[in-house]
Each structure stands twice: as C-alpha cells, then as structure tokens.
Amino acid sequence: MIIVIDFDGVLFDDRKFKKEYIRIFADAGVTMREYEGAYRESKNAHGGSYHPDTHLLLLKKMHTDFSIALIKKKRAELVALSFRYVFKDAEPFLASQKKKGLSLYMLSTGMGFQKKKIKSSGLSRYFKKIKIIPDSSKGAAMLRLLRGLRKEHFIFIDDKKEIVEEIKRAFPRASVIQMARHKVERKSRGVDAVAKNFSEVARVIKKIWR
C-alpha cells in the first residue's frame, strides 16, 4: 500500500511558520500591506509560484535601506528550526505506517527554501520519495506524477479541498483523505474522509486494510 502525503498543513504547521516568517519582515520595517503586495506581485511574475528572492527584490524597491542579506540570514535561521513547526502527531504516524510496511511518498508545493524546510523538519527519513512541484501546476503535476498508480489502490492526504477533489476524480479507486486541522478549512464532500488529525487518519486507514 502506498500513502502520498502533502507537507504544509498536513505534517507541518505552515500557519505558525508563516507568522514567524512575516515577523522577520515586520522587524525590518515592512508593513503587512507592503509584504502582501510584493508577495502577490512575485507570484504573478512567476506564473503563480512564490519566489522568495523576487519578493525580496520588490521590497527593496520600496525600502532603500532594506537589507536583503539580513533577511536571508534570518530566513535561513528560521528554516533551520522547521522541526519546531512539525505537528506533534506527524512523526508518530509516519513511523507507525512505515513500520507496518506502507510506502510513504511526499508531494509538496513550493519553491525557494521549501526543500530545506522539509529537510530541516526531520521527516525526510520516513519517505521513499519526496517531490516538490510549483504552486501554479499543483493539480496537473499531481495527476502526471500519480498516473502510474492509476491501477493500484493508494491513499492520498492533502489539506486543500480543490486538490483532494481533483485527485479523487482522476483516481476514483484511491482513498482520498482531506486533513482539515482548522475549523475554517473548506471541507470537501467528495472525498472518502475528512480528518482533523492523524489519529483519525489512522482509523480510516485501518478500515481500508480490513
């Protein structure tokens, strides 16, 4: 049995991480409005994918005294602490599933420091393969990457409503689980299960194995 798992919002508390990430910019004198404006512009410049260095260059145009080197240094320090933002139930779940003989794959979106963030999380050792794809092509890229599994039953876990629904449509035999850790998460009615944590995910998998 294969389990394909997303990183941000499923294994990793990206909301808490983003708060600390934004704080780095706030400490450098960047307002939230400036941060978000440059963020959107950087994504538009790269077809929907967030490029951190483009984001920094755009902010530099707004603040002549803005130190890109300092931001990169603080960003690297934050990324090195990624293990602090791993959900407490993530590693026990991965360890138990791997011990049972399941093959674990990670399929994550993001550019720039996403690879380093995953490595610093300490979770890489549980996965047979880790694939990082651009935000702009997440749905289409997932379909291409998973196409070889079409005839095989597998489990797919992601937090995004539109992604889990697209995967379920493309792979009807797959057991698709939406991880909705937050109450404000848009929940899907078109998947096999919606879980708040990995204890609930484990119960779903146990039923599948029966």
Side-chain angles (χ1 to χ4, degrees), residues 61-78:
K61 292 179 180 179
M62 302 178 193
H63 294 266
T64 55
D65 58 344
F66 182 77
S67 174
I68 290 179
L70 179 60
I71 295 295
K72 284 186 174 182
K73 178 178 179 294
K74 289 187 176 182
R75 184 178 70 192
E77 291 170 353
L78 176 62

Side-chain angles (χ1 to χ4, degrees), residues 6-10 12 14-15 39 43 107-109 114 135 138-139 142 156-169 176-182 185-191 193-195:
D6 183 30
F7 184 69
D8 289 323
V10 178
F12 184 82
D14 55 328
R15 294 190 180 197
Y39 176 83
K43 290 189 74 172
L107 200 52
S108 175
T109 60
Q114 184 73 355
D135 295 321
K138 184 172 184 179
M142 281 187 173
F156 181 83
I157 308 170
D158 197 291
D159 62 320
K160 299 291 189 298
K161 178 180 182 291
E162 60 273 18
I163 296 300
V164 292
E165 290 179 350
E166 184 171 6
I167 295 300
K168 187 62 182 177
R169 286 195 300 270
V176 179
I177 303 170
Q178 182 186 11
M179 180 69 87
R181 291 185 180 272
H182 308 283
E185 206 80 60
R186 293 189 303 124
K187 296 178 178 62
S188 172
R189 295 182 179 180
V191 295
V194 177

Side-chain angles (χ1 to χ4, degrees), residues 29-163:
V30 176
T31 67
M32 193 63 189
R33 184 176 180 179
E34 290 169 336
Y35 173 89
E36 290 180 342
Y39 176 83
R40 287 192 296 270
E41 193 174 340
S42 69
K43 290 189 74 172
N44 291 336
H46 295 281
S49 298
Y50 173 59
H51 282 242
D53 289 347
T54 300
H55 191 196
L56 296 182
L57 291 171
L58 290 168
L59 288 170
K60 180 68 175 177
K61 292 179 180 179
M62 302 178 193
H63 294 266
T64 55
D65 58 344
F66 182 77
S67 174
I68 290 179
L70 179 60
I71 295 295
K72 284 186 174 182
K73 178 178 179 294
K74 289 187 176 182
R75 184 178 70 192
E77 291 170 353
L78 176 62
V79 170
L81 297 174
S82 290
F83 61 90
R84 293 184 177 179
Y85 301 91
V86 172
F87 287 113
K88 290 182 179 179
D89 61 350
E91 187 165 10
F93 171 80
L94 296 176
S96 66
Q97 299 307 312
K98 188 173 183 179
K99 188 176 181 180
K100 291 174 183 176
L102 279 76
S103 297
L104 304 176
Y105 291 77
M106 184 191 294
L107 200 52
S108 175
T109 60
M111 300 294 287
F113 53 83
Q114 184 73 355
K115 186 176 181 180
K116 292 179 180 178
K117 193 172 72 174
I118 292 171
K119 184 177 180 181
S120 297
S121 74
L123 301 179
S124 300
R125 60 197 176 102
Y126 294 104
F127 291 89
K128 189 172 183 179
K129 185 176 181 180
I130 296 174
K131 184 70 176 177
I132 301 173
I133 58 178
D135 295 321
S136 60
S137 60
K138 184 172 184 179
M142 281 187 173
L143 295 177
R144 289 195 298 271
L145 289 166
L146 297 176
R147 201 167 297 282
L149 302 176
R150 185 176 291 277
K151 296 180 181 179
E152 183 178 351
H153 180 253
F154 63 94
I155 297 165
F156 181 83
I157 308 170
D158 197 291
D159 62 320
K160 299 291 189 298
K161 178 180 182 291
E162 60 273 18
I163 296 300

